[in-house]
Amino acid sequence: MKLRFTVSGRVAKPIGAVFDAVADPAVLSEYFTTGGAKGRLETGMVATWDFHDFPGAFPVHVVEAVKDRHILLRWGGDRDAVVPDDEGQYRTLVTFAFESTEDGRTLVQISEEGWSDTPEGLKASYGNCEGWTGMLAAMKAWLEHGVKLRQGFYK
């Protein structure tokens, strides 16, 4: 069995603003990366995401970024929970897909895959599914209402 999930949500903002809320480190740092983000998510870029509630800055390897369409990235995982990628690295593949809706909102879908079919892989995938769902809620709260939903949530 291949462990993979997709979470989605709609944000009442134009697609360009929602895409930039993920790609632009200054905006991402407002609602998601409590310790800050460095580096715009562009094809070939290695950015870092830091979370005060989870120690350490995480390298984010951007496989492909197409403005207002999608962002594909790879980031590290526990060797017991993740299978090696095409480069032999223990990283999952995350896909952000952006789509304009007829009513002017933006549909965001986040998919992640690459875990081993083990209890450790299943647990890690559930944790990341929770994290991406929280990220979507925090993005919506920030972009639509200026509320920092994640602040103090985890610690």
Side-chain angles (χ1 to χ4, degrees):
M1 176 171 76
K2 184 176 182 178
L3 296 178
R4 180 180 198 276
F5 66 80
T6 300
V7 297
S8 62
R10 288 160 183 79
V11 179
K13 291 291 179 182
I15 197 167
V18 178
F19 181 91
D20 282 342
V22 177
D24 184 335
V27 182
L28 192 69
S29 296
E30 289 292 335
Y31 71 90
F32 184 55
T33 55
T34 53
K38 294 182 182 163
R40 184 171 176 86
L41 300 184
E42 297 176 342
T43 301
M45 174 73 175
V46 179
T48 57
W49 291 353
D50 197 354
F51 301 90
H52 286 307
D53 39 8
F54 295 96
F58 296 89
V60 176
H61 302 260
V62 184
V63 176
E64 182 177 66
V66 177
K67 177 98 172 106
D68 299 344
R69 302 267 326 227
H70 65 259
I71 300 170
L72 282 66
L73 58 87
R74 289 197 175 275
W75 68 342
D78 182 336
R79 283 183 173 267
D80 293 332
V82 178
V83 296
D85 62 20
D86 295 340
E87 297 173 3
Q89 300 296 311
Y90 289 84
R91 303 179 299 199
T92 59
L93 177 65
V94 180
T95 302
F96 291 85
F98 305 88
E99 181 182 331
S100 293
T101 63
E102 290 180 10
D103 59 3
R105 297 181 297 165
T106 301
L107 172 64
V108 182
Q109 294 180 310
I110 305 172
S111 303
E112 190 167 7
E113 62 186 87
W115 291 280
S116 60
D117 187 10
T118 62
E120 295 83 7
L122 187 61
K123 181 179 178 184
S125 72
Y126 281 2
N128 283 24
C129 184
E130 176 187 359
W132 292 125
T133 302
M135 186 254 201
L136 283 175
M139 179 195 307
K140 181 175 181 69
W142 174 251
L143 289 178
E144 292 181 14
H145 307 288
V147 173
K148 293 186 179 188
L149 193 61
R150 187 178 163 94
Q151 191 170 25
F153 190 78
Y154 292 97
K155 282 193 176 182

